[in-house]
Amino acid sequence: MNRIFDSLNLTVNGTSVALPVAPGRRLSEVLREDLGLRGTKVGCDAGDCGACTVLIDGAPVCACLTPVAQATGRAVTTVEGLDMAALQRAFLRHGAAQCGICTPGMLIAAKALLTRVAAPTRAEVEEALGGVLCRCTGYSKIIDAILDVATVGAPPPMPGAGHAVGARVERLDGGPKVAGTEIYGADHVPGGALLVRAVRAPDAPMGFVLGDIEAWCAAQAGEVQVFTAADVPGENRFGVLPAFADQPVLAEARVRMRGEAVALVAGDPSVVEALDLTGFPVTWQARDDTLVHATRADNLLVSGRVARGDLASGFAAAAHIAEAEVSTPYIEHAYIEPEAGVAWLEGGQLVIQACTQAPVMDRDDTARVLGLPPEGVRIIPAAAGGGFGAKLDLTVQPLIGLVTLKTGRPARMVLGRAESMATSTKRHPSKMHARIGVDDEGRITAMEFDGEFNTGAYASWGPTVAGRVPVHASGPYYVPAYLASANARHSFSAISGAFRGFGVPQAAILQEVLHDDLAAQTGMDRLAFRRLNALQDGQATVCGQVLQGVGISACLDALRDPWQAALQRAEEGNAKGGVMRHGVGVASCWYGCGNTGLANPSTIRLGLTPEGRVSLHQGATDIGQGANTVIPQICADALGLPLAVFDLVGPDTALTPDCGKTSASRQTFVTGKAAWLAGQALRAQILSLSNMGPDARLSLSGNTLVVGDGNADRRIDLGDLVPGAHGYVLMAEETYDPPTSPLDENGQGAPYAVYGYGAQIAEVAVDSVLGTVRVTRITAAHDLGRTINPLLAEGQVEGGVAQGLGLALMEEYIPGRTENLHDYLIPTSGDMPRVDSIFVEVPDPEGPMGAKGLGEHVLIPTAPAILNAIRHATGARITDLPALPHRVLAAMRKAKG
């Protein structure tokens, strides 16, 4: 029995508190819900992620597994009470907080370690962090920060005017992340908010009939309300691509996937938390459907195709041909923050604050579902505790919006870990086949690729994956004859959506495995083979697009010395004998930034206040990649004022123009270019007002704007100017839409205005008896065009490598079986190799100051490089991912004949 005591006494952050709570209640709930200490995060409620780590009498514990009674009479320390400013400063200095959802747990674990060991070793830090998962950073910068905690000093000065781009600027939004005050989707709770839970399908395909809901509600211990599809006032259908929208907010009579919502239950939290929804009045009926959607024959959602040149002649001219098949599984995004949000009414407008990557898309789709005009909905993105693509799709937004509209009360929804994993989108499982031919010099003559991609029950980003894969499956190489196709096909299973690369990582695995085959057949060094075939400026891609600023050769050239050193290390390791076999692999990538052949605009507003501050309105959501820092850096240099005078506004659909979705590595390029144009436009206004030339220098002294050219100064008292629109005395608003063209029936056109490039070397040690694989080092060379912020770029590389390592070696989502962070494995601090980043700058003529995207690119080459390294070490050719020990051993036996 879990009765409520008159009070339980404990000390939290040095303050004694007495709480009338049940002794078995989770300490995490008490801290967050009763004491409002929301710096303690909850990612799993199972002790798997460590986000809820707190100190009890100085020892780290998972608050989600600790009954509050166990803390009675003891001292509890949360991130809000952390007394180590030096540690928090070190996290900022090293860029150790990206999305920030794991940061409180990391800080607490580090505090416990540093209290015991003043100067720990790297191995001791890795061990101390082993219970706290991070999906963004790759852990390296977190470890570096903890090792560097003894470094003291104030934050470095902000770069001066004209020197922001290229500077290692600390994350401008980092302070709240390390203080535990950042507001994520589950952290804002208005007074009187209802708690919302969903009744979900146990399997699919199934039909269902709802029973006596009124009687069920009356039988509960407190007042609850139920909402079904019949209550949806607008169109009960949504999707990220309007032409393919097919997913109901609440199912009607039939479900297509396990976990699909059929009803909502809302009420006071104390009542709803205690409900056993397995008793909800719904009768499930098994179905033997074969078509997921009746209008999509053969379950085919869409096909993509790219064809160029004479394929038959290309293969006829080949001296060597390599052919293979590869399959990849569902991959879970595994962000540490499950989906969450809150809705309320404000002046007749529905306001929703939730984790998202696409606020304007959320607004428009939610309004359509709820029968409201777009201006009737305001989306305030909460800080996103990781996204990687899955938070592009609507999740809780229309559900809590529906409840608030129907009840007039705020409504809150927080998905549990299993619920999140069952219902969120995944990386597309794939089955791919390809063959590539080369001439006797090793030059590619032809390539053929086809892939089947399981898009699950609903469309989501399936059309984008089917379109991107044929464009990218060639890799960043010159292929004169090419035919590639990809089908996105439905199944009664988890929805496949966007996940860092939109299908390109899967295709790159097959293409790069074949390149190793061809290098062997031609007797060429594997790196040299890739360098020979790398795309050059002025050459046409497989889409017929002639590119400039192609950086893949520079990336491969940057790897020449590391490649030889890696091969030498592997040779020396193997010379020692024993069961460990050492190998080296290499793989390349390219990736088009932004939408494929479609409009892709971003709009930036920039204004000078009468008080002498610069307000930058940018609606690009920062999900940890650094948009809140990088875009101001670009804008500051375009305007010619120091970064320190900038105030960031947004994202918020009521306050910021549309900067599009955060996906496809588009924000630095597209929104960055809009910010550059806005900065230049505002600068032009200032120069015109002061009658100064283009080389004049700007500075602010209080509310006085000083414009000088070395010969004279003009002083503008901003307080004397009349504020105009939005309260600014001077303002510019600029839009940038990359120049692209739609693809024709053969995939010919200009799908992207800017591409990024990269290549990576992986070094592995394989236990030839156990089949286990350890990656010891990754050397990553990436072409950024212009490196806006090296500190944040390094973090992107390390985080992308971590996800690529998981794809290669351990991650496999199995619906109903791996819906937690215990059975679904992602890399921990102990799994990560050394990562050496090399940044190449081959400016793109279209990018802002030559800059290109990076976020998606860094994951793409990691898995194929690791697989090629395993093969180099053991002869094992892995064609069914992930490379689990039993698969490695089986492949080794097959290689030996």
Side-chain angles (χ1 to χ4, degrees):
M1 184 173 65
N2 197 19
R3 65 186 179 88
I4 296 178
F5 282 18
D6 290 337
S7 68
L8 292 174
N9 298 294
L10 57 156
T11 300
V12 180
N13 297 332
T15 300
S16 297
V17 294
L19 298 169
V21 297
R25 196 171 185 209
R26 298 176 192 265
L27 177 59
S28 55
E29 294 175 356
V30 172
L31 292 172
R32 288 178 55 82
E33 307 301 330
D34 297 333
L35 297 178
L37 296 171
R38 301 189 185 277
T40 300
K41 305 305 178 186
V42 175
C44 66
D45 269 339
D48 295 324
C49 75
C52 68
T53 302
V54 300
L55 300 178
I56 297 183
D57 291 340
V61 301
C62 285
C64 74
L65 294 183
T66 304
V68 68
Q70 290 186 7
T72 302
R74 304 171 71 184
V76 178
T77 303
T78 71
V79 67
E80 292 91 342
L82 195 66
D83 61 350
M84 288 193 69
L87 179 61
Q88 291 160 314
R89 279 274 348 123
F91 266 58
L92 293 176
R93 184 167 60 249
H94 285 273
Q98 287 192 21
C99 83
I101 194 72
C102 74
T103 301
M106 292 290 183
L107 288 165
I108 292 291
K111 164 69 173 177
L113 171 65
L114 293 169
T115 300
R116 292 186 290 105
V117 184
T121 65
R122 192 171 192 90
E124 288 173 322
V125 175
E126 289 179 0
E127 183 178 1
L129 300 183
V132 186
L133 296 177
C134 176
R135 192 59 158 164
C136 296
T137 67
Y139 302 99
S140 180
K141 292 199 177 299
I142 297 173
I143 296 168
D144 290 344
I146 296 169
L147 292 172
D148 190 39
V149 71
T151 300
V152 295
M158 284 284 202
H163 297 285
V165 169
R168 296 176 71 87
V169 176
E170 293 179 0
R171 193 176 294 271
L172 298 180
D173 58 357
K177 297 178 189 294
V178 300
T181 57
E182 187 77 277
I183 303 299
Y184 295 88
D187 292 343
H188 178 52
V189 187
L194 300 172
L195 183 64
V196 182
R197 291 175 60 191
V199 179
R200 299 189 181 276
D203 203 352
M206 299 188 84
F208 67 94
V209 177
L210 297 174
D212 191 340
I213 292 174
E214 186 174 339
W216 182 82
C217 291
Q220 304 311 310
E223 182 181 354
V224 296
Q225 298 181 67
V226 172
F227 304 92
T228 67
D231 297 299
V232 176
E235 184 178 0
N236 188 21
R237 183 170 60 93
F238 70 91
V240 291
L241 301 170
F244 296 92
D246 57 4
Q247 187 171 354
V249 172
L250 294 169
E252 304 175 48
R254 178 193 183 204
V255 294
R256 296 179 172 89
M257 60 175 281
R258 181 177 173 277
E260 189 163 353
V262 301
L264 302 176
V265 180
D268 289 334
S270 60
V271 176
V272 173
E273 284 174 354
L275 290 177
D276 179 5
L277 295 184
T278 60
F280 187 82
V282 56
T283 301
W284 299 103
Q285 305 155 337
R287 297 171 61 117
D288 58 358
D289 300 351
T290 55
L291 283 183
V292 180
H293 296 271
T295 58
R296 294 171 182 163
D298 200 27
N299 284 323
L300 182 64
L301 170 64
V302 69
S303 295
R305 182 176 184 270
V306 173
R308 184 169 178 81
D310 187 334
L311 194 70
S313 296
F315 278 113
H320 306 280
I321 295 176
E323 187 170 5
E325 295 183 353
V326 167
S327 66
T328 65
Y330 274 123
I331 302 291
E332 162 67 24
H333 295 75
Y335 31 69
I336 306 304
E337 177 205 29
E339 296 79 358
V342 62
W344 67 91
L345 292 171
E346 192 172 290
Q349 185 181 50
L350 177 64
V351 182
I352 297 174
Q353 182 168 306
C355 50
T356 179
Q357 296 177 233
V360 174
M361 289 172 58
D362 285 3
R363 180 198 66 187
D364 294 349
D365 242 10
T366 299
R368 188 178 304 109
V369 166
L370 298 180
L372 298 171
E375 60 272 16
V377 178
R378 176 185 180 186
I379 300 292
I380 305 174
F388 318 114
K391 289 176 182 174
L392 289 165
D393 295 66
L394 283 181
T395 56
V396 303
Q397 295 90 334
L399 305 179
I400 54 180
L402 174 63
V403 172
T404 290
L405 281 184
K406 293 293 184 179
T407 65
R409 292 177 60 181
R412 178 188 183 215
M413 192 171 193
V414 181
L415 301 194
R417 173 55 57 184
E419 186 179 21
S420 170
M421 293 181 77
T423 60
S424 63
T425 61
K426 310 286 179 264
R427 186 181 295 284
H428 281 71
S430 66
K431 293 183 178 180
M432 302 169 293
H433 169 266
R435 61 180 180 137
I436 304 175
V438 298
D439 62 20
D440 54 8
E441 294 181 351
R443 296 184 184 277
I444 297 171
T445 61
M447 177 177 178
E448 186 175 24
F449 172 98
D450 63 85
E452 288 286 323
F453 292 80
N454 175 7
T455 205
Y458 296 105
S460 184
W461 293 95
T464 301
V465 168
R468 271 190 180 265
V469 166
V471 171
H472 288 86
S474 65
Y477 305 103
Y478 179 66
V479 183
Y482 182 78
L483 176 62
S485 62
N487 296 325
R489 205 175 293 275
H490 286 295
S491 66
F492 289 106
S493 192
I495 305 169
S496 300
F499 189 170
R500 207 170 191 170
F502 288 97
V504 179
Q506 295 97 303
I509 290 169
L510 177 53
Q511 167 255 309
E512 290 287 342
V513 164
L514 289 175
H515 279 198
D516 266 23
D517 287 349
L518 292 165
Q521 290 181 37
T522 55
M524 293 184 66
D525 172 87
R526 291 173 288 158
L527 182 69
F529 175 86
R530 289 165 170 83
R531 180 62 178 83
L532 175 69
N533 287 287
L535 270 171
Q536 306 296 315
D537 282 7
Q539 285 185 327
T541 71
V542 292
C543 294
Q545 183 179 11
V546 177
L547 300 180
Q548 303 296 325
V550 180
I552 184 58
S553 292
C555 292
L556 292 167
D557 288 344
L559 292 181
R560 281 177 176 166
D561 289 344
W563 175 248
Q564 294 302 321
L567 291 172
Q568 180 65 29
R569 283 191 290 271
E571 184 177 340
E572 291 171 355
N574 290 329
K576 296 176 182 178
V579 300
M580 301 304 298
R581 304 303 301 164
H582 300 267
V584 183
V586 63
S588 302
C589 73
W590 71 328
Y591 193 77
C593 302
N595 294 344
T596 308
L598 299 172
N600 193 23
S602 283
T603 300
I604 285 287
R605 181 183 305 138
L606 191 63
L608 263 172
T609 72
E611 296 77 27
R613 299 290 297 177
V614 181
S615 292
L616 172 60
H617 294 250
Q618 71 96 356
T621 53
D622 192 325
I623 59 173
Q625 86 282 18
N628 286 342
T629 304
V630 169
I631 292 169
Q633 285 180 262
I634 295 171
C635 193
D637 278 6
L639 177 57
L641 282 171
L643 189 60
V645 304
F646 276 69
D647 296 318
L648 186 65
V649 180
D652 180 330
T653 60
L655 302 177
T656 52
D658 186 8
C659 282
K661 60 190 182 298
T662 293
S663 71
S665 296
R666 63 175 297 279
Q667 292 296 10
T668 295
F669 161 43
V670 183
T671 301
K673 185 66 173 280
W676 175 260
L677 294 174
Q680 288 187 317
L682 185 56
R683 178 179 175 83
Q685 291 182 36
I686 294 169
L687 295 179
S688 176
L689 186 64
S690 61
N691 196 29
M692 285 286 188
D695 296 329
R697 297 182 302 276
L698 311 184
S699 62
L700 280 165
S701 178
N703 66 348
T704 300
L705 177 62
V706 182
V707 188
D709 62 3
N711 296 316
D713 288 342
R714 303 281 191 273
R715 305 177 73 85
I716 303 171
D717 190 336
L718 299 175
D720 291 341
L721 301 181
V722 178
H726 306 285
Y728 299 122
V729 295
L730 293 171
M731 192 191 83
E733 186 167 301
E734 293 290 330
T735 297
Y736 174 71
D737 190 3
T740 62
S741 66
L743 300 181
D744 65 17
E745 68 276 7
N746 289 316
Q748 299 299 290
Y752 313 102
V754 168
Y755 296 77
Y757 306 88
Q760 295 179 9
I761 298 168
E763 299 176 53
V764 304
V766 184
D767 189 312
S768 58
V769 174
L770 300 178
T772 55
V773 178
R774 176 157 182 80
V775 183
T776 58
R777 184 182 302 201
I778 297 285
T779 305
H782 286 272
D783 169 30
L784 280 64
R786 179 73 180 273
T787 307
I788 306 299
N789 188 318
L791 177 66
L792 302 188
E794 290 164 1
Q796 283 292 286
V797 171
E798 291 159 7
V801 164
Q803 291 187 345
L805 185 151
L807 169 63
L809 299 182
M810 63 185 69
E811 297 190 39
E812 183 173 11
Y813 172 79
I814 303 172
R817 287 177 51 191
T818 60
E819 290 172 353
N820 56 67
L821 294 176
H822 178 76
D823 296 307
Y824 186 87
L825 301 180
I826 67 173
T828 69
S829 58
D831 295 312
M832 287 303 298
R834 169 177 168 175
V835 179
D836 296 331
S837 296
I838 302 171
F839 293 138
V840 172
E841 294 186 324
V842 179
D844 189 280
E846 190 65 31
M849 303 181 76
K852 305 169 183 176
L854 177 67
E856 319 278 300
H857 312 68
V858 293
L859 176 144
I860 296 169
T862 308
I866 291 171
L867 297 177
N868 285 341
I870 294 171
R871 189 175 179 190
H872 179 238
T874 66
R877 178 171 177 160
I878 307 297
T879 58
D880 185 15
L881 271 65
L884 299 172
H886 71 280
R887 291 174 179 158
V888 173
L889 292 174
M892 288 172 60
R893 289 192 294 268
K894 184 176 181 180
K896 292 176 182 177

